[in-house]
Amino acid sequence: MKIFLPVAFVLSWLVALPLWLGGGLASPYFRVLATVMMFTPSLGVLAVWLRSRTPFRQWARETGLTLGPRPGRTVLVGLGAWLSTVLLVLVAGALSAAVGLLTLDLHDFATFRAVLGAQGVPVPANVGAIVAIQVVVGILIAPVINALPSLGEEWGWRGWLLPTLVRSRGLGQGLVLSGVIWGLWHAPLTLLGYNYPGLGPWAAAYFVVTCVFIGLIFGWLRLRTGSVWPPVIAHGTLNGTASLLFLFAAKRPDPALAGITGAVGWVVMGLTALALYKFLPVRQASAEGGADHQAAGRRDLDQGAEHVAGHTAEPAPGMPEQHQ
């Protein structure tokens, strides 16, 4: 912790400093700097590795860069994470509409037209086709494009930090504390009002809560499989789809309330996490950062341990945003 957290946090502020010196979220460099910032947690992991002098192949196993003790299951969970993330976004959008926080416009797409107009982009006659393309790109292409920067974050938060906290503080505290740290790390952007522009600097505190709920699900993916790749997929998909809700709005909803990163999303993700941990539980973090759950899972981890026998494994310390 003494190495990882200072590296991740200090570098994130250094990367975001040009935004604070001029332009803020309106800076033409915002997207580039926000993307670069996503790699700072991985730099923290590399700093810890350099200090530990652990063989990198062992370090990769411990921090989840492999597919875990059951690669086939990890691949299936990763595909499920992709589809399930899209489903959660849709459920949050539908629930937002049902409780009156979102007014749908499936004919004229008024909000999308207004955004195009504000950007000086000519609004085509068949705007529905453009919306359809945006949806396809968000669901199928954006998660792939987002995979590398999402790995930049996830190798730090779920690859290294979460297993470390679970070992030292237990499952519940580890999950919550890792989510809080993840949310606070976004402060260079959220203090500027990022994600929740109506809240101003209070967006920083609000987004911490959002990160705790997202982290419960991403954490389950990591601990269940022993791999960081399912949460990488979920993170990239969330970044690509979270804002699709606004394409179908008659007027722009309040992002602090509606959608997957609003209060409605907290409910959706909280109930999802409750179901996951109740019916597919994870318990103690394994030597490879996976979870000791059910007897079958325990045998799988034992087989993985045999593969690395002879090594001394120290306990490894470890939107979008609408690009988180």
Side-chain angles (χ1 to χ4, degrees):
M1 291 292 184
K2 293 180 180 179
I3 297 175
F4 173 78
L5 291 181
V7 170
F9 275 72
V10 171
L11 289 181
S12 70
W13 275 99
L14 288 176
V15 170
L17 185 59
L19 303 178
W20 283 82
L21 294 178
L25 300 181
S27 168
Y29 306 108
F30 169 75
R31 291 188 179 277
V32 172
L33 294 175
T35 301
V36 172
M37 181 176 156
M38 294 177 72
F39 290 93
T40 60
S42 281
L43 294 177
V45 177
L46 289 173
V48 176
W49 170 64
L50 290 173
R51 178 67 179 271
S52 71
R53 298 183 181 180
T54 303
F56 188 78
R57 294 181 66 177
Q58 178 184 338
W59 185 253
R61 287 192 297 269
E62 293 174 354
T63 56
L65 285 183
T66 67
L67 292 178
R70 293 183 63 179
R73 182 177 65 180
T74 298
V75 171
L76 291 177
V77 171
L79 292 174
W82 193 332
L83 297 175
S84 298
T85 301
V86 174
L87 179 61
L88 290 177
V89 170
L90 292 175
V91 170
L95 184 57
S96 298
V99 299
L101 296 173
L102 168 67
T103 302
L104 295 174
D105 180 0
L106 304 180
H107 183 261
D108 292 326
F109 307 101
T111 297
F112 184 53
R113 286 177 177 273
V115 170
L116 292 179
Q119 295 175 346
V121 178
V123 180
N126 188 10
V127 71
I130 305 300
V131 170
I133 292 173
Q134 292 284 328
V135 171
V136 171
V137 169
I139 294 175
L140 299 180
I141 299 177
V144 177
I145 296 174
N146 292 338
L148 184 58
S150 294
L151 175 62
E153 283 199 46
E154 291 302 321
W155 193 30
W157 307 130
R158 255 62 63 175
W160 187 90
L161 180 66
L162 175 62
T164 300
L165 292 174
V166 169
R167 290 189 189 99
S168 63
R169 296 177 178 269
L171 180 61
Q173 288 189 32
L175 286 164
V176 172
L177 185 55
S178 64
V180 170
I181 293 172
W182 182 31
L184 291 174
W185 169 85
H186 287 86
L189 304 182
T190 52
L191 284 172
L192 294 171
Y194 187 56
N195 280 338
Y196 311 107
L199 297 181
W202 287 104
Y206 203 85
F207 193 60
V208 168
V209 180
T210 300
C211 283
V212 169
F213 281 106
I214 298 174
L216 293 176
I217 297 175
F218 288 5
W220 180 88
L221 293 170
R222 163 69 164 113
L223 296 174
R224 186 73 183 180
T225 63
S227 173
V228 78
W229 292 107
V232 166
I233 293 171
H235 195 151
T237 305
L238 183 63
N239 285 358
T241 59
S243 62
L244 292 180
L245 167 70
F246 303 106
L247 297 175
F248 303 97
K251 61 179 182 179
R252 187 173 180 86
D254 185 350
L257 299 176
I260 193 66
T261 56
V264 169
W266 297 356
V267 175
V268 172
M269 290 185 290
L271 292 175
T272 300
L274 183 64
L276 288 174
Y277 286 96
K278 179 175 177 60
F279 297 109
L280 296 169
V282 296
R283 297 193 180 98
Q284 182 178 357
S286 76
E288 293 186 9
D292 182 13
H293 47 79
Q294 311 308 349
R298 191 174 293 112
R299 287 195 297 271
D300 292 333
L301 293 172
D302 289 340
Q303 292 172 2
E306 292 174 3
H307 180 69
V308 296
H311 293 284
T312 302
E314 298 180 2
M319 138 196 159
E321 311 216 282
Q322 275 48 295
H323 294 333
Q324 262 81 319

